[in-house]
Structures are given as structure tokens and as C-alpha cells.
Amino acid sequence: MTTPYPIGTPGTPWGPAEKAAWLARQVKHRSYADEVQSKIDALRARFDVTEYGRLDYASESYPLLAIRSRGWREDLPIVLVTGGVHGYETSGVHGALQFVDLHAADYEGRANLLIAPCISPWAYERIHRWNPDAIDPNRSFRENSPAGESAALMRLVAPYRDRVLMHIDLHETTDTDESEFRPALAARDGKPSEPGEIPDGFYLVDDSENPQPAFQQAVIEAVAKVTHIAPADAKGEIIGSEVVAPGVIRYPLRKLGLCAGVTSAHYTTTTEVYPDSPRATPEQCNAAQAAAVCAAIDYALAHAGA
């Protein structure tokens, strides 16, 4: 038996009253301006920073910031790094920023880098998965998106959509996925809440419509030097999907409206770090994300045109 979610009537999708009740429960725990925007500002001396959109929610306004290579060249391949689609997935944001600070200069003259480190700042502050409209941005990367976060990123990448070589989207799978976010999703949609199993370790989500197993393996091998890789469960699955290689599952990215399907990139992957593991520290989680980005870019550049 599962405990009913405290908002709504089981079996009945939420209406405006339930969404308002959910929103009233959300509390700001941290500052996007202090923890994210200030770090991006500190990078302005070395990289170009642009505001690609702004989210206005009630009395709050959030600038959406992207970091670009200063020496952008039309003859170089474009690589896209995104983080913080789900605001509560902390290492996605800070791993992206760590990559820029420590490693991005290594690719000067080799690739054009476009990094959107925190796509969902409202959710970052509230350590949540959804935006204030109770919408998951990572199911909303589609035409006429209902999520402002998703629509803004799509506008940012639109001029480059068919020129992006590689896109890596940085995420986490946390214990709160099972204790809060999946029950909330079931309640919102009026569906039964079915308990699942949280994998202990890092894994990747490949694109079932364009699988790139050697690319995924290169990323897994790099991250394994930093933190442990998630094993399959007793069914040979990770979060309900078949494990096709150590630490790799597959989703139809574009069909599901996922961020990693927002371009026509040949190489795409979604990282999933497990920050609640007793075998991982926040520093390891950030380093694992940065290592994944480096490995993904290195492989894509080495095999471009192959």
C-alpha cells in the first residue's frame, strides 16, 4: 500500500484548485542569484554570456543565461551542454559550471560551446522538479511548449538546431524521485502511484531512435573513474527500462519531449547522477558531470563525420 498524496482525490486529475494548493506548499530553499548567477557572472571575463530569456513568475523574475565560446567560429562544430532542466538536480547545474570553469578552455579553436547551466531557476530555488504551473519542463520540449523554460531553450538553439554535433543534458536520479516526485505526478494526473527502485550509481539515457552505443560507452568509462556506475536491478532494468549496456538505457527522446532531443545532434545523451548514494559526495557528483561532458565532447570531435 502507498500513502495517498496529500493533494487531490485519488483517480482524479488535478484542476486549478489542486495546482494552487500544490504551489502554496512550495518554499524557497536557496538563491539562484547567489549560487548560480554569480558564478556565471564570474565567467564573463573568459566567455560570452547572453540572456536568452526571462521567466516572470508572480513577483519574481529570473534571467535565463547561456555561456558561449568567446572565439565562436562558423567553421567549427557546435556542442550543447544543458543542466538544471529539473531544478532540484543540483549537480546538473554545478557540474555544467565546473566544466566551463575548469575544462571549456581546452576546446578553444576546436568547437563552439553553448552551455545553458540552469534552465529552471524557479525550481532550482525550491529544489523541485516542476515549474510553478506544475509542469515538468523535461516532458515539454515540443512545439507550442506549455513550459516557459523549455520554450526559451528551444528559441536559443533554433538557429543551430541542425548544426549541433553533440548535446549532453545533465540530470540526477534522487531518493525524492520515489518519495515525492513520482507520487506527485501520479496524483496530478489522476493515476495510481506505483513504487519503483532507485538505482545506486551513475547511468546514461541513449536515444532509442538514434542509438550510439560506442559514444555512451566512452562516457561511462570516463565517469567510472570518478564515481560508480549503476548496476541493473533483478529484472535487468534501470528505472523500468532495459539495460542495453553497463549503465545505459534508452528512451525515444524527441517523442517524449525530452531536452536531449531538442536538436538534430548525431550524438546525444542524458546523464543521471545519484547524489543520495553513501558512496558519492556532492563534489564527486559535480566532477562526474564534468567528466561526462569532457568525454562526450572528446568522442564527438574524434568521430565527427565518421
Side-chain angles (χ1 to χ4, degrees):
M1 298 291 292
T2 58
T3 302
Y5 196 74
I7 294 172
T9 302
T12 302
W14 288 359
E18 289 79 13
K19 291 180 181 179
W22 169 84
L23 181 59
R25 290 163 56 96
Q26 307 314 311
V27 177
K28 186 185 294 188
H29 296 283
R30 54 190 181 183
S31 169
Y32 170 71
D34 292 345
E35 298 182 18
V36 180
Q37 199 172 342
S38 65
K39 291 186 176 181
I40 296 174
D41 287 341
L43 297 167
R44 290 179 184 270
R46 293 182 282 155
F47 301 92
D48 291 338
V49 176
T50 58
E51 183 176 316
Y52 66 90
R54 184 170 284 268
L55 298 171
D56 294 313
Y57 289 132
S59 61
E60 297 175 293
S61 184
Y62 297 94
L64 297 170
L65 301 174
I67 303 163
R68 301 173 187 259
S69 302
R70 178 144 292 170
W72 190 281
R73 286 170 30 191
E74 292 303 311
D75 61 321
L76 294 179
I78 299 170
V79 295
L80 175 63
V81 181
T82 48
V85 173
H86 293 140
Y88 73 105
E89 297 173 6
T90 305
S91 73
V93 177
H94 292 285
L97 292 171
Q98 181 168 316
F99 163 75
V100 177
D101 185 34
L102 299 182
H103 306 290
D106 298 342
Y107 299 98
E108 185 175 353
R110 299 169 57 201
N112 296 320
L113 304 182
L114 178 59
I115 301 104
C118 190
I119 289 170
S120 298
W122 183 91
Y124 177 87
E125 292 194 329
R126 287 153 183 84
I127 314 182
H128 213 284
R129 185 177 182 90
W130 296 343
N131 73 8
D133 299 317
I135 293 173
D136 184 345
N138 206 34
R139 296 298 184 274
S140 304
F141 289 93
R142 57 181 81 250
E143 199 170 335
N144 300 315
S145 175
E149 296 84 354
S150 309
L153 185 79
M154 292 175 72
R155 288 193 296 271
L156 171 68
V157 303
Y160 318 110
R161 185 178 180 277
D162 296 328
R163 295 172 51 204
V164 174
L165 173 65
M166 190 282 297
H167 176 193
I168 184 168
D169 188 33
L170 309 181
H171 284 258
E172 293 181 342
T173 299
T174 71
D175 288 345
T176 51
D177 286 9
E178 193 62 33
S179 63
E180 168 63 24
F181 299 125
R182 289 176 189 164
L185 174 64
R188 186 197 68 183
D189 295 346
K191 297 179 179 179
S193 180
E194 299 180 359
E197 182 177 328
I198 300 296
D200 183 357
F202 179 95
Y203 63 99
L204 294 173
V205 182
D206 194 3
D207 186 0
S208 60
E209 297 170 335
N210 176 35
Q212 297 294 330
F215 168 67
Q216 309 296 333
Q217 183 62 28
V219 177
I220 287 289
E221 289 176 0
V223 172
K225 299 173 183 177
V226 180
T227 191
H228 59 291
I229 305 303
D233 63 19
K235 297 179 181 179
E237 298 176 338
I238 290 176
I239 61 167
S241 294
E242 178 191 3
V243 174
V244 297
V248 182
I249 61 174
R250 289 176 179 155
Y251 285 172
L253 302 180
R254 194 166 297 173
K255 180 180 178 181
L256 293 177
L258 301 179
C259 183
V262 79
T263 73
S264 300
H266 185 65
Y267 298 109
T268 58
T269 195
T270 300
T271 67
E272 294 286 354
V273 169
Y274 179 45
D276 297 316
S277 173
R279 300 166 60 191
T281 65
E283 293 75 20
Q284 273 180 297
C285 292
N286 292 345
Q289 300 280 25
V293 175
C294 290
I297 297 175
D298 290 344
Y299 185 95
L301 292 180
H303 295 82

